[in-house]
Amino acid sequence: MELNEAVQEIKRQGYKTTTKRKDMLRFFAEADGYRTAKDLINHLEPAYDGISFDTVYRNLHLFDKVGVLETTELNGEKHFRISCTHHHHHHFICKDCGKTKEIEVCPMDEVRQALGNYAIEDHKFEIYGLCPVCQKA
C-alpha cells in the first residue's frame, strides 16, 4: 500500500486525515520494514514538539483497525509497517533492524488439509532471523 492509498482508506472509513496523521503514515510508507512507536515519536518530535505517546499509540491503533498498518511483535515490543495489499504473501523479518523480505510461499494448503473440518478465518505466517547486513555486524 502506498501513502495515498492509506490516506484514502482512512477517509473512506470516515476518519479525518490530518497533517499529523499523514506525516505518521509517510514515516511508515518510507520505512524499509517494521518500526516501533518509539521510532515514530523520534521522527515526529522535531516537527511536533512534545507529541505524546498517547497520541501516537491512539493513531497506531486506528491505523491497524482501518487496515493501513500491519503489526508484529519483535523482542516483546509491537512493531508496525505499511500494509501490503497487492498480493498474498508472507514475510521474513530481521529481528535486529526490522527489515522485511517477501516470501511467496504459503503453507495454508497443507494446514487446511491437516485441520480438516475446522473453519479457518485468517492466517499470518512470519519467519524471524537476521538479514545479511545484520549477520555481518
Side-chain angles (χ1 to χ4, degrees):
M1 181 176 290
E2 294 179 12
L3 175 62
N4 290 336
E5 291 174 294
V7 169
Q8 291 306 314
E9 184 60 22
I10 289 170
K11 283 182 185 177
R12 189 186 73 70
Q13 293 195 33
Y15 296 97
K16 292 180 182 178
T17 53
T18 63
T19 301
K20 190 181 294 181
R21 284 183 174 167
K22 289 177 186 176
D23 288 345
M24 290 177 177
L25 290 169
R26 183 175 295 108
F27 171 76
F28 290 106
E30 293 173 355
D32 184 15
Y34 283 90
R35 297 292 174 257
T36 65
K38 186 176 179 179
D39 294 333
L40 176 60
I41 288 170
N42 290 339
H43 172 77
L44 293 173
E45 278 183 333
Y48 300 97
D49 188 37
I51 190 165
S52 72
F53 277 97
D54 185 49
T55 297
V56 168
Y57 280 107
R58 190 173 50 252
N59 280 284
L60 289 173
H61 176 72
L62 171 69
F63 297 157
D64 182 38
K65 177 179 142 186
V66 170
V68 297
L69 285 185
E70 297 175 0
T71 64
T72 194
E73 193 165 311
L74 290 171
N75 304 319
E77 184 176 15
K78 212 169 209 185
H79 286 63
F80 306 86
R81 69 172 268 137
I82 202 87
S83 289
C84 304
T85 58
H86 297 294
H87 65 283
H88 182 79
H89 65 277
H90 300 284
H91 293 113
F92 170 89
I93 304 168
C94 181
K95 290 172 61 175
D96 279 357
C97 70
K99 288 184 181 176
T100 62
K101 178 167 177 49
E102 289 185 8
I103 303 167
E104 301 299 329
V105 175
C106 181
M108 285 308 294
D109 288 338
E110 290 178 36
V111 171
R112 278 189 182 93
Q113 199 170 32
L115 290 175
N117 62 352
Y118 286 80
I120 299 169
E121 295 179 1
D122 199 4
H123 73 281
K124 185 174 184 177
F125 180 67
E126 298 174 334
I127 298 175
Y128 303 96
L130 298 176
C131 71
V133 172
C134 290
Q135 287 179 56
K136 291 178 183 176

